[in-house]
Structures are given as C-alpha cells and as structure tokens.
Amino acid sequence: MTELNGKPQSRLIPVIEIFGPTVQGEGMVIGKKTMFVRTAGCDYSCKWCDSSFTWDGSGKSDIRQLSAQDIYNELLQTGGDTFAHVTVSGGNPALLPQLGELIEVLKRQGLSVALETQGSRWQDWFWSIDDLTISPKPPSSGMKTDFTVLDSIAAKLAERARHYSLKVVVFDDADLQYAAEIHERYPNIPFYVQAGNGRLHETDPGMMLPYLLERYEWLIGRTMEHRRLKQVHVLPQLHTWLWGNKKGV
Amino acid sequence: MTELNGKPQSRLIPVIEIFGPTVQGEGMVIGKKTMFVRTAGCDYSCKWCDSSFTWDGSGKSDIRQLSAQDIYNELLQTGGDTFAHVTVSGGNPALLPQLGELIEVLKRQGLSVALETQGSRWQDWFWSIDDLTISPKPPSSGMKTDFTVLDSIAAKLAERARHYSLKVVVFDDADLQYAAEIHERYPNIPFYVQAGNGRLHETDPGMMLPYLLERYEWLIGRTMEHRRLKQVHVLPQLHTWLWGNKKGV
C-alpha cells in the first residue's frame, strides 16, 4: 500500500479489477478502446447486477486499497503504450470522493476518462469526466430511484458537464415504461436503452449469443414502435456477444 | 412526381430506398433509432460495397426521382409518429447538391439528420448535418483516396460543423495501416474502424454470425495492440449480426 505524501489512508481507492485495453461494450462510447478500473462497493444491490462480486462479498479477496498513482502505474504496466482512454466502473464509483485524485492523475497524463454510475450520489469530479453515463435502475432491478437526487445531478451536469448521457437497462415492458419516464423527465440528455442480460451464470459464450440476439431484437422492436421514445439509442452489450459472461475482457 | 414550385426537375433527388424506423447499425450514432433514405448513384465502385445496387444497375428499376417534400411525406407515411432522426446514405449522397433542400425540410420539422459519404466531394449542406460520417475507403476497396479533397473537407468541417467523425472499414492489415494513416492525418476528428463484411451473398443470417464475430474479434485484437490507434472506436455492423444481408432493415 502506497503512502500518499502523508495524506490519510482514507484517500486510497478500493479497486477490484484493472484490465485492458479492450473495447467498451456498451453505452455512449460503445466500441471505444479503453482500459478498465473497477472499484468495489455499491449502495445498490440490483437483482441482475452483472458485477455483484464488487459488493456481495464473493470478490472480497480481490479488493486492493490503491492510491491514484498506484492505479496509474498498474494501468501503464498492463496496457503499455497502447491506450489513451480509461473507464472507471463499479460497483458505484460515485461513493468515492477520493476518486477525484485518480481522475486528475489520468487527465494530467493526457488520458480521457469515462465513468458509469447509477445517479444515487453526486461528486464534484463528475464535471471532469469526459464521458459520463448516469444509469438509473428500472423496476426489475428491485431498486427504487430517488428522483430528488437524480434531478439535482441532472441540474448540476447541465451547468458545466460536456459529454454525458442517461442509460436504462431494460428487461421487460415495465422497465421500458420506466425508461420512457426517465427520457421524458430529462429530454435534453442523450438517452440509451440497453438489453438486459438475464443469463449471468451461463459459462458457454456460444449458448449466450442466440439469447442475447433475441433480447436485443425484442428491445429494438418495442422501441421502434414506441411514440415516447424517439431520440433514443438501442444498444446491446457487445462484450457479452463476444465473450459471454467472462470477466476481465 | 411532384412539381417543386416551378423549380427545374434537376432539383429532384434519385431515391432507391426509404425505410424504418430501425437502429443505425454502425458508426458514430450506432444504435440510434432512425429512418433511412438511400440515394442512388456513386462516384466509387468499391469491390466489397454492401449497397452496390445503388450504382451497378441492378437496382435501376427501384430508383425514383422525388422532391424533398415527397421524401418527407413518405417518411411520415412509413414511420408515422415514432421517429425524430433521419439517416441519408447511398451510394454517395454528396453527389447531390439538391439534397440541401431535403435537409432543410427535415430540420424545419424538428428532425435531426445523419449522413454518410466517402469524402470525395464537398457540399455546403454538410454544415447542417447533425451526425456526419466521412468514410474514406481503404486499399481493399480498389479505390484511391484523393487527399487534396479530403484535406479540404476536413478543414471546412473544422470551421463550423458540430458532430462529425471519420470511419474506415477494415478487411486486412493493409486497411488497418491505411486507417492509422487517416487517424494520424486528422488526429482531432473522432475516429472509428469497422469490421468489413466479406460475405455479401450469404442469405442465411445464422451462417453469417460466426464469420462476423470472428472478423470483429480479429479487428479488436489488432487494434488493441496498435500503438498508433489509441483514441479509436472499434465497431461491428449490428444490423448484419441481427439480420444478415437483408435489405430494408
């Protein structure tokens, strides 16, 4: 564990995965060449979370407390001279005020930074993120959106942020209805719906693909006929099409 | 055929397909819900063109000369009240100065407009396009890029355009080398590489899929290790994964 120039240990960041470069599989920068840093810990516990090892205890032994500089060094060691973009995901990285330091370190190196969070907490460093995805969770998740918080995040982003979007994962018609409500509440924020993955325990990528194609086609069909969802992107998770539920790709 | 308030017939637009709404399968607005207008005619004849019916004579009987208003009416009739975005593709729509009128009609209706062209011709209406993709063709196409023209287009877009990108279709290592050269020549333009489809005559989507996955994974692998391709998106053509080589989807 690295000392941070005498700063207290609370500035360290709980990291559960660092990998890449690979392609971003989903959302507003789908296809982008990026490194990934996955933080541990979440204030949510979505029923279908595809990264539940970050919060359910199953990945506990993989969690390391790292400084911003440690993380940057490991990114360099892993990705070498091949990358210019880093994605921070979780868990919910917005639980960590000290992430601001990592974002500063990365930007000082000329790297651009993407981050995904559910919109349950604000951090001032949101304004420094190059590609910020706010992903409120629909009814199928079992979570309840606090619209007071989400409204306030949307208002703050409108003040200063450059490139951000809303993304809703959709499993069924109730989720799609929720997606339409989110889109109508924040009509000026670029909007994405994403086909949900309900087969998190399938280990054979070849078995996943027909299922994922069917789910994506279902979501396309429902969205295309939808009068309340016009300025919308409908996307799959490309990494699951390629690699199924494999971690670290 | 509609009269255009006494304007000469040369203002009509040669259209070969109008369809949608569907998802944009590729490039900078991948996943976007959109209507498609495909114009006929091209100054190129790429070996692997996936829309060669627009220029090789095989689709001649489908070409209609339509006014901007005719096209808008047909978009409404086809898409009803479900869409807010229209994509113009070809052929090479940049051959048609009179397309400016269609873009005006669409924007007056509050629709946003995407357009794709190879970058062999400039039109002043490029500045009015919301999502403009310039897609110069790599060596495998058999075409040769006129860099004097491409440089001048890039310079004009830098003056005034808001949201544009470069996209290169890649079949092999020579194409990837060309992609790296394009990216280095225009480092400030968002850059996309796309896995090429070399099986244009396969009619069974199920037979396409393993091939397309392999091609996309190959391109990801080559791009991830590439030091000259850092700020880059690597994308498939989603529509071919879903629907193979089917037209009109």
Side-chain angles (χ1 to χ4, degrees), chain A residues 223-240:
Chain A
T223 309
M224 291 308 115
E225 68 195 11
H226 211 297
R227 283 172 172 70
R228 295 166 62 198
L229 290 167
K230 288 189 177 114
Q231 285 284 16
V232 59
H233 293 74
V234 189
L235 286 174
Q237 292 180 299
L238 286 179
H239 53 287
T240 62

Side-chain angles (χ1 to χ4, degrees), chain B residues 40-68:
Chain B
C42 198
D43 47 331
Y44 276 21
S45 52
C46 297
K47 281 180 193 165
W48 36 251
C49 178
D50 61 2
S51 308
S52 57
F53 58 94
T54 62
W55 53 264
D56 68 4
S58 64
K60 208 177 165 187
S61 63
D62 294 329
I63 301 172
R64 292 175 298 153
Q65 300 290 334
L66 300 177
S67 72

Side-chain angles (χ1 to χ4, degrees), chain B residues 156-167:
Chain B
K156 282 180 169 172
L157 291 176
E159 278 172 37
R160 287 208 241 160
R162 282 183 318 143
H163 190 216
Y164 59 103
S165 70
L166 282 161
K167 184 182 78 175

Side-chain angles (χ1 to χ4, degrees), chain A residues 150-209:
Chain A
L150 197 56
D151 286 352
S152 115
I153 290 175
K156 283 181 170 171
L157 291 177
E159 279 172 37
R160 286 208 243 161
R162 284 184 316 141
H163 192 216
Y164 59 103
S165 70
L166 283 160
K167 184 182 77 177
V168 175
V169 174
V170 174
F171 282 82
D172 54 30
D173 281 324
D175 288 355
L176 199 67
Q177 165 76 16
Y178 172 89
E181 282 160 20
I182 293 281
H183 181 45
E184 284 171 348
R185 194 175 183 107
Y186 312 105
N188 298 319
I189 306 183
F191 189 68
Y192 292 75
V193 290
Q194 174 176 304
N197 173 9
R199 300 226 177 135
L200 295 172
H201 301 292
E202 176 60 62
T203 52
D204 179 355
M207 295 291 289
M208 287 292 282
L209 199 51

Side-chain angles (χ1 to χ4, degrees), chain A residues 24-90:
Chain A
Q24 168 58 266
E26 59 189 69
M28 70 191 293
V29 282
I30 190 168
K32 183 101 185 184
K33 182 182 190 176
T34 191
M35 298 293 294
F36 277 90
V37 175
R38 190 183 298 284
T39 62
C42 198
D43 47 333
Y44 276 21
S45 53
C46 297
K47 281 180 194 163
W48 37 252
C49 179
D50 60 3
S51 308
S52 58
F53 59 93
T54 61
W55 52 264
D56 68 4
S58 63
K60 208 175 165 188
S61 62
D62 294 328
I63 300 172
R64 294 174 296 153
Q65 301 290 334
L66 301 177
S67 72
Q69 190 62 43
D70 287 339
I71 295 172
Y72 175 65
N73 292 345
E74 191 162 325
L75 285 167
L76 264 193
Q77 203 178 355
T78 310
D81 183 31
T82 63
F83 68 94
H85 188 267
V86 176
T87 299
V88 181
S89 189

Side-chain angles (χ1 to χ4, degrees), chain A residues 30-33 81 112 209 213 216-217 223-224 226-227 229-234 238 241-243, chain B residues 31-33 81 84 112 209 213 216-217 220 223-224 226-227 229-234 238 241 243:
Chain A
I30 190 168
K32 183 101 185 184
K33 182 182 190 176
D81 183 31
S112 53
L209 199 51
L213 283 169
Y216 184 44
E217 211 166 352
T223 309
M224 291 308 115
H226 211 297
R227 283 172 172 70
L229 290 167
K230 288 189 177 114
Q231 285 284 16
V232 59
H233 293 74
V234 189
L238 286 179
W241 288 20
L242 288 168
W243 303 304
Chain B
K32 182 103 186 182
K33 182 182 191 176
D81 184 31
S112 53
L209 203 49
L213 281 167
Y216 184 44
E217 212 166 350
I220 290 173
T223 309
M224 291 309 115
H226 211 297
R227 284 172 170 70
L229 291 167
K230 287 187 177 119
Q231 285 285 16
V232 60
H233 294 75
V234 189
L238 288 178
W241 289 30
W243 303 305

Side-chain angles (χ1 to χ4, degrees), chain B residues 11 18 59 87 92 101 126 129-130 158 161 163 179 188 210 245 247:
Chain B
R11 313 272 315 181
I18 292 177
T87 300
N92 183 7
E101 202 170 325
F126 280 13
I129 301 292
D130 298 284
H163 190 216
N188 298 320
N245 292 310
K247 270 173 68 180

